């Protein structure tokens, strides 16, 4: 999201991303049997608030330290207390993927010509460790 906001056409890219997210959320609600427009709208309003808060806290973590990123991941993405032990691995994975995206040209990112690395093998590193570029090849 940070990189998209730096683009000259950021407003259009961000709006497209958000629109797609909420179209998908509404479709999933309706597919699960929710027929009330009011329930759908109220739920989408709650999602907007949650989405903005999550994006802001993750952006802060991306721009600052692993500790801030770990706190944002824990608050926003970890579903259970037991999973907190995996937050360090998630932070390493996220840093690795951000490094890969930073190495890509914006045109490749916007066209989807990149591939996220495998989450497998992330547990072997240490927090703050420089990550190599073994999974950073662009696809197609």
């Amino acid at each position: 999201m940070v990189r998209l906001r730096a683009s000259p056409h950021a407003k259009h890219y961000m709006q497209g991303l958000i629109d797609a997210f909420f179209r998908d959320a509404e479709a999933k609600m309706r597919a699960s049997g929710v027929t009330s427009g009011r329930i759908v709208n109220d739920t989408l309003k709650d999602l907007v608030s949650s989405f903005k808060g999550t994006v802001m806290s993750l952006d802060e973590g991306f721009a600052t330290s692993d500790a801030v990123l770990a706190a944002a991941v824990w608050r926003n993405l970890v579903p259970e207390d037991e999973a907190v032990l995996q937050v360090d691995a998630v932070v390493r994975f996220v840093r690795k993927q951000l490094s890969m995206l930073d190495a890509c040209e914006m045109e490749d990112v916007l066209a989807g010509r990149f591939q996220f690395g495998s989450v497998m093998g992330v547990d072997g590193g240490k927090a703050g460790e420089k990550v190599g570029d073994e999974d950073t090849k662009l696809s197609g």
Side-chain angles (χ1 to χ4, degrees):
M1 299 289 275
V2 172
R3 185 137 183 224
L4 284 177
R5 283 195 296 269
S7 169
H9 303 290
K11 184 176 181 179
H12 300 290
Y13 298 142
M14 295 295 294
Q15 192 60 53
L17 182 64
I18 290 168
D19 289 348
F21 173 79
F22 286 104
R23 274 194 308 272
D24 186 51
E26 181 176 357
K28 286 181 180 182
M29 279 188 276
R30 294 201 184 277
S32 69
V34 177
T35 58
S36 168
R38 182 174 180 194
I39 291 172
V40 169
N41 287 337
D42 288 349
T43 303
L44 289 175
K45 286 178 187 177
D46 290 343
L47 275 174
V48 167
S49 178
S50 178
F51 178 78
K52 287 179 179 179
T54 299
V55 168
M56 287 180 62
S57 65
L58 291 171
D59 280 353
E60 180 184 18
F62 298 156
T64 58
S65 69
D66 284 358
V68 174
L69 180 57
V73 166
W74 188 358
R75 278 191 314 274
N76 295 288
L77 304 176
V78 176
E80 300 173 6
D81 289 340
E82 294 83 35
V84 73
L85 300 175
Q86 299 173 10
V87 170
D88 187 52
V90 172
V91 168
R92 284 193 308 278
F93 177 76
V94 168
R95 291 283 184 216
K96 184 174 185 176
Q97 302 317 300
L98 289 173
S99 177
M100 178 275 301
L101 286 171
D102 283 345
C104 294
E105 295 294 326
M106 181 55 93
E107 294 78 27
D108 291 327
V109 172
L110 295 174
R113 290 188 301 260
F114 65 91
Q115 185 173 357
F116 289 114
S118 172
V119 80
M120 302 306 291
V122 174
D123 286 336
K126 296 179 183 161
E129 179 176 72
K130 184 174 179 179
V131 180
D133 61 350
E134 60 273 3
D135 287 321
T136 61
K137 294 182 180 122
L138 296 179
S139 64

